[in-house]
């Protein structure tokens, strides 16, 4: 376990958190002297930067790396509360700015054996399978609980050459190549704006098709999920907040505990 | 009580995998399901990596269907075959270290009672005979002495199946196993009797070849544990690999073992009977009024 200055005493350069594959048992970036950013900051390949700098690089890589993929986690994909819905809106706002995007949720963390279906899900216990199958050049995690994000990010760095982005609601992740901390809905909307600005600056046209699922298991073509019209309606709802209401709560009647025909 | 956590956020409904969509639309959460309805709803446990013909998997599947409120249930397990299936169910699972499952469950249940005083949150320990009767014996007994309010279910395959066939305390006397070639030298531990002595208010032994009975005892045990005290279920769930039972003979074996040493036993205290009758409408436990009795 190094402090940054101790690491520098033994090495010429600070430890860089770069796309792998880095090896079978990789060190946690924190143990190599990488520290979490303070409020308003981010990490750029292990280096502390402002969140604006981190967001610019996230935008540049999302627009230029092959097969960019969004992995919304349980804190976004499930409508737990109003805040989860607000974050889901903002994530759709981000998705609407990135051409050729894939969306593959991490809906939960339970182990998946005998096999995971990598075209439609990513699992924290073997995320490399989904990254490999879909040839992801860059992936974004948002709404994943810290402990499983740490596990996932390390495994991806260990076994794939994918660039990882963690949009973290807490303090950020050392093991992500690019991370921004305190990502509430407002900050996610800010990132959507940065991506739009960078895209226009780079002369990349706005996406016309909806984000797809992963590469189909039979024909190896990206799975079409929405028509452009359907997606346009979803994006419009996300941007305006109209028709994007909290799902109605379902009550559980108390008599559910009574077994039918108890012996 | 809200089930919003099984609703997909707007805009992502079609991106989430089909099995999750099926679970939201046809799953058991917020509904009343029974083992007799299997095939008509999406079960919380479907995929698993267990051996072909595993009776333990069948029992776990039935037990999870039988949970009165699966959406508000947390299972606790430990090393062994069972947790491979239990941890893949669509209900939260906590992995206790070997030996401390009932200590983990005690803390979990107390925390849930403090955090959610106005609703029932069920905690169910499901672990093997090695995890409970051998390595976890002390923690299990003490949780019962303390009258912790959760259910303990022993998946009794009478062997350490996951590690190659060592004898456990629940192996029968004389049984010869791969790693016990001389045969076991002492008797199977009488856990149901120990459970009664230690303060369990509901104790039952079952085999998985009677699904309705499994459902009934699990429901009763979980309901009683909500307010009355600790409950214990011991289920014979053979290891067809270590005991070399042909896959198609697993249920026949369960039937034979039920006749031999696993007859259905059910012990329930008067307090638990009263609770089931008053709170959950179990008519069979309602006190029959004696004609002519003078009430004080």
């Amino acid at each position: 376990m190094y402090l940054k200055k101790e690491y520098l005493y033994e090495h010429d350069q600070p430890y860089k958190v770069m796309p792998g594959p880095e090896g079978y048992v990789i060190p946690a970036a924190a143990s190599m002297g990488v520290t979490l950013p303070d409020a308003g900051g981010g990490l750029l390949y292990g280096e502390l930067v402002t969140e604006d700098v981190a967001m610019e690089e996230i935008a540049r890589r999302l627009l230029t790396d092959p097969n960019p993929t969004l992995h919304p986690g349980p804190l976004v994909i499930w409508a737990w509360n109003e805040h989860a819905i607000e974050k889901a809106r903002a994530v759709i706002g981000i998705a609407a700015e990135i051409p050729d995007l894939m969306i593959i949720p991490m809906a939960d963390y339970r182990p998946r054996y005998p096999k995971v279906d990598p075209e439609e899900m990513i699992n924290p216990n073997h995320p490399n399978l989904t990254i490999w199958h879909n040839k992801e050049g860059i992936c974004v995690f948002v709404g994943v609980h810290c402990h499983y994000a740490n596990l996932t990010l390390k495994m991806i760095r260990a076994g794939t050459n994918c660039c990882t982005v963690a949009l973290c609601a807490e303090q950020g992740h050392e093991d992500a190549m690019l991370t921004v901390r305190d990502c509430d809905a407002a900050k996610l909307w800010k990132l959507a704006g940065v991506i739009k600005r960078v895209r226009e600056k780079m002369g990349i046209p706005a996406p016309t098709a909806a984000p797809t699922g992963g590469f189909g298991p039979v024909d190896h073509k990206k799975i079409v999920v929405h028509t452009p019209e359907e997606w346009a309606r979803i994006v419009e709802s996300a941007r305006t907040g109209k028709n994007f209401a909290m799902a109605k709560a379902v009550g559980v009647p108390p008599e559910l505990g009574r077994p039918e025909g108890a012996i | 009580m809200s089930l919003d956590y099984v609703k997909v956020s707007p805009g992502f409904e079609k991106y989430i995998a089909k099995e999750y969509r099926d679970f939201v639309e046809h799953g058991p959460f917020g509904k009343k399901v029974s083992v007799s309805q299997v095939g008509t709803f999406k079960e919380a446990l479907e995929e698993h990596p267990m051996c072909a013909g595993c009776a333990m998997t069948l029992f776990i599947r039935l037990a999870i269907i039988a949970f009165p409120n699966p959406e508000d249930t947390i299972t606790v397990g430990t090393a062994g075959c069972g947790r491979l299936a239990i941890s893949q169910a669509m209900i939260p699972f906590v992995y206790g270290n070997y030996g401390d499952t009932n200590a983990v469950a005690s803390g979990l249940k107390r925390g849930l009672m403090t955090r959610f005083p106005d609703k029932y949150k069920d905690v169910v320990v499901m672990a093997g005979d090695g995890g409970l009767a051998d390595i976890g014996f002390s923690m299990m007994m003490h949780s019962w002495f303390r009258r912790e309010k959760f259910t303990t279910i022993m998946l009794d395959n009478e062997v350490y199946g996951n590690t190659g066939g060592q004898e456990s305390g629940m192996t029968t006397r004389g049984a010869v196993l791969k790693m016990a070639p001389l045969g076991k030298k002492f008797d199977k531990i009488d856990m149901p009797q120990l459970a009664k002595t230690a303060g369990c208010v509901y104790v039952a032994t079952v085999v998985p070849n009677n699904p309705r009975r499994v459902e009934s005892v699990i429901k009763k045990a979980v309901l009683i544990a909500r307010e009355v005290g600790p409950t214990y279920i011991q289920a014979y769930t053979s290891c067809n690999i270590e005991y070399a039972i042909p896959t198609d003979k697993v249920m026949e074996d369960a039937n034979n073992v039920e006749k031999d040493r696993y007859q259905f036993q059910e012990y329930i205290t008067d307090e638990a009977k009263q609770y089931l009758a008053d709170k959950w409408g179990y008519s069979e436990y309602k006190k029959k009024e004696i004609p002519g009795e003078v009430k004080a």
Side-chain angles (χ1 to χ4, degrees), chain B residues 129 133-134 154-159 168-174 184-192 194 205 232 234-237 243 257 260-262:
Chain B
D129 46 316
D134 293 351
M154 181 192 288
L155 308 166
D156 179 16
N157 59 7
E158 303 184 329
V159 64
S168 81
M170 300 301 284
T171 304
T172 52
R173 186 188 186 100
K184 194 184 173 201
K185 299 278 192 267
F186 56 94
D187 288 329
K188 184 180 175 85
I189 302 171
D190 188 358
M191 283 303 302
L194 285 170
T205 54
Y232 173 67
Q234 186 174 306
Y236 174 70
T237 56
Y243 279 90
V257 171
D260 173 35
R261 60 181 180 278
Y262 247 95

Side-chain angles (χ1 to χ4, degrees), chain A residues 257, chain B residues 68 109 120 122-123 147-151 199-204 216-233 266-277 279-280 282 285:
Chain B
K109 180 68 182 189
Y120 296 119
D122 300 322
V123 174
R147 295 180 67 81
E148 301 286 354
K149 289 175 179 161
F150 62 86
T151 301
C200 285
V201 293
Y202 180 81
V203 179
S216 171
V217 298
I218 299 274
K219 271 192 169 36
K220 285 182 200 168
V222 174
L223 292 174
I224 292 168
R226 286 178 175 177
E227 291 189 55
V228 185
T231 55
Y232 173 67
I233 292 170
E266 193 178 43
Y267 161 80
I268 178 167
T269 63
D270 289 341
E271 186 190 7
K273 281 181 188 170
Q274 185 80 37
Y275 173 74
L276 284 182
K279 181 86 181 181
W280 303 106
Y282 278 73
Y285 295 131

Side-chain angles (χ1 to χ4, degrees), chain B:
Chain B
M1 192 178 287
S2 163
L3 286 181
D4 287 329
Y5 55 90
V6 285
K7 294 274 189 289
V8 181
S9 289
F12 288 102
E13 293 94 338
K14 287 192 175 178
Y15 286 103
I16 202 162
K18 175 82 166 65
E19 68 163 282
Y20 292 97
R21 291 205 298 275
D22 284 349
F23 196 76
V24 170
E25 289 162 18
H26 309 295
F29 286 7
K31 295 174 196 155
K32 183 175 179 175
V33 296
S34 161
V35 293
S36 59
Q37 294 169 287
V38 165
T40 65
F41 64 94
K42 174 84 175 167
E43 291 177 50
L45 172 63
E46 288 185 342
E47 280 185 319
H48 60 79
M50 309 284 266
C51 305
C54 176
M56 187 184 290
T57 315
L58 172 63
F59 178 83
I60 293 168
R61 186 178 164 199
L62 295 173
I64 288 175
I65 293 169
F67 287 161
N69 292 89
E71 63 278 1
D72 285 310
T73 303
I74 297 177
T75 52
V76 182
T78 188
C81 301
R83 50 94 197 188
L84 295 171
I86 304 164
S87 62
Q88 287 202 199
M90 288 221 196
I91 54 176
F93 170 79
V94 177
Y95 192 109
N97 289 317
Y98 233 159
D100 70 7
T101 44
N102 281 46
V104 169
S106 301
L108 189 59
K109 180 68 182 189
R110 289 185 192 195
L112 290 168
M113 285 166 79
T114 306
R115 173 70 180 79
F116 302 99
D118 57 341
K119 67 166 81 167
Y120 296 119
K121 290 280 183 182
D122 300 322
V123 174
V124 179
V125 171
M126 262 202 270
D129 46 316
L132 293 176
D134 293 351
I135 305 165
F137 186 76
S138 166
M139 300 285 187
M140 181 176 68
M141 293 301 288
H142 277 269
S143 73
W144 292 344
F145 294 146
R146 294 192 306 269
R147 295 180 67 81
E148 301 286 354
K149 289 175 179 161
F150 62 86
T151 301
T152 305
I153 300 174
M154 181 192 288
L155 308 166
D156 179 16
N157 59 7
E158 303 184 329
V159 64
Y160 284 87
N162 211 1
T163 50
Q166 294 82 5
E167 67 176 45
S168 81
M170 300 301 284
T171 304
T172 52
R173 186 188 186 100
V176 175
L177 297 159
K178 284 179 196 161
M179 299 281 181
L182 300 179
K184 194 184 173 201
K185 299 278 192 267
F186 56 94
D187 288 329
K188 184 180 175 85
I189 302 171
D190 188 358
M191 283 303 302
Q193 191 57 45
L194 285 170
K196 289 177 209 169
T197 308
C200 285
V201 293
Y202 180 81
V203 179
T205 54
V206 284
V207 294
N209 57 2
N210 188 337
R212 294 304 295 267
R213 180 174 284 166
V214 171
E215 179 180 33
S216 171
V217 298
I218 299 274
K219 271 192 169 36
K220 285 182 200 168
V222 174
L223 292 174
I224 292 168
R226 286 178 175 177
E227 291 189 55
V228 185
T231 55
Y232 173 67
I233 292 170
Q234 186 174 306
Y236 174 70
T237 56
S238 66
C239 178
N240 55 321
I241 303 298
E242 293 304 332
Y243 279 90
I245 305 164
T247 304
D248 60 341
K249 303 284 184 196
V250 168
M251 285 298 105
E252 192 180 313
D253 167 73
N255 218 11
N256 293 336
V257 171
E258 185 181 24
K259 286 176 189 157
D260 173 35
R261 60 181 180 278
Y262 247 95
Q263 291 92 352
F264 175 60
Q265 292 178 47
E266 193 178 43
Y267 161 80
I268 178 167
T269 63
D270 289 341
E271 186 190 7
K273 281 181 188 170
Q274 185 80 37
Y275 173 74
L276 284 182
D278 295 349
K279 181 86 181 181
W280 303 106
Y282 278 73
S283 54
E284 59 270 41
Y285 295 131
K286 284 205 168 124
K287 277 190 180 166
K288 292 185 179 73
E289 288 192 16
I290 301 164
E293 187 183 16
V294 179
K295 288 182 181 171

Side-chain angles (χ1 to χ4, degrees), chain A:
Chain A
M1 179 87 182
Y2 292 96
L3 293 173
K4 192 173 181 182
K5 61 181 180 185
E6 290 171 347
Y7 187 87
L8 282 170
Y9 184 74
E10 294 180 16
H11 301 81
D12 294 335
Q13 295 291 324
Y15 183 77
K16 289 269 188 187
V17 184
M18 300 301 288
E22 189 161 329
Y24 186 56
V25 182
I26 63 162
S31 72
M32 306 301 276
V34 177
T35 53
L36 290 170
D38 290 327
L43 281 171
L44 193 74
Y45 310 110
E47 185 187 344
L48 291 167
V49 293
T50 64
E51 74 179 28
D52 291 340
V53 173
M55 281 184 180
E56 292 267 343
E57 179 67 2
I58 291 169
R60 188 187 69 76
R61 291 207 65 152
L62 278 170
L63 294 165
T64 55
D65 282 7
N67 298 322
T69 309
L70 202 54
H71 296 300
L75 293 169
V76 165
I77 206 78
W78 298 107
W80 303 86
N81 49 37
E82 291 288 355
H83 184 62
I85 305 243
E86 286 304 306
K87 283 182 80 167
R89 276 180 61 195
V91 171
I92 286 173
I94 291 172
E97 300 297 341
I98 307 165
D100 300 323
L101 182 73
M102 292 187 281
I103 296 180
I104 301 176
M106 181 185 280
D108 59 25
Y109 308 132
R110 65 206 168 99
R112 305 292 307 220
Y113 298 103
K115 75 180 278 290
V116 69
D117 298 320
E119 70 280 3
E120 59 175 5
M121 62 176 73
I122 183 166
N123 187 273
N125 306 290
H126 29 70
N128 47 331
L129 300 180
T130 299
I131 305 280
W132 285 337
H133 175 86
N134 297 300
K135 305 173 183 65
E136 296 176 25
I138 180 166
C139 63
V140 180
F141 290 94
V142 55
V144 178
H145 290 84
C146 303
H147 51 302
Y148 274 109
N150 280 336
L151 172 71
T152 304
L153 292 166
K154 272 202 272 293
M155 288 183 73
I156 294 173
R157 189 154 59 94
T160 79
N161 61 353
C162 182
C163 177
T164 52
V165 178
L167 303 177
C168 178
E170 306 291 338
Q171 292 176 300
H173 285 276
E174 308 98 330
D175 285 297
M177 282 124 225
L178 303 161
T179 187
V180 176
R181 59 170 284 168
D182 301 322
C183 281
D184 54 6
K187 199 164 282 190
L188 293 173
W189 279 116
K190 180 182 171 185
L191 176 62
V194 172
I195 296 171
K196 185 180 182 197
R197 179 167 53 75
V198 172
R199 179 172 55 71
E200 287 170 354
K201 195 173 158 188
M202 294 173 84
I204 298 170
T208 50
T212 61
F215 285 83
V218 179
D219 58 5
H220 293 283
K221 289 181 182 164
K222 287 183 179 175
I223 297 167
V224 176
V225 177
H226 285 293
T227 62
E229 295 75 26
E230 281 173 349
W231 179 244
R233 278 196 294 276
I234 291 169
V235 172
E236 179 65 14
S237 296
R239 284 180 177 151
T240 60
K242 288 177 185 167
N243 306 319
F244 221 87
M246 183 86 177
K248 195 171 178 289
V250 180
V252 180
E255 67 273 15
L256 272 177
R258 178 71 175 95
E260 216 169 68
I263 298 165

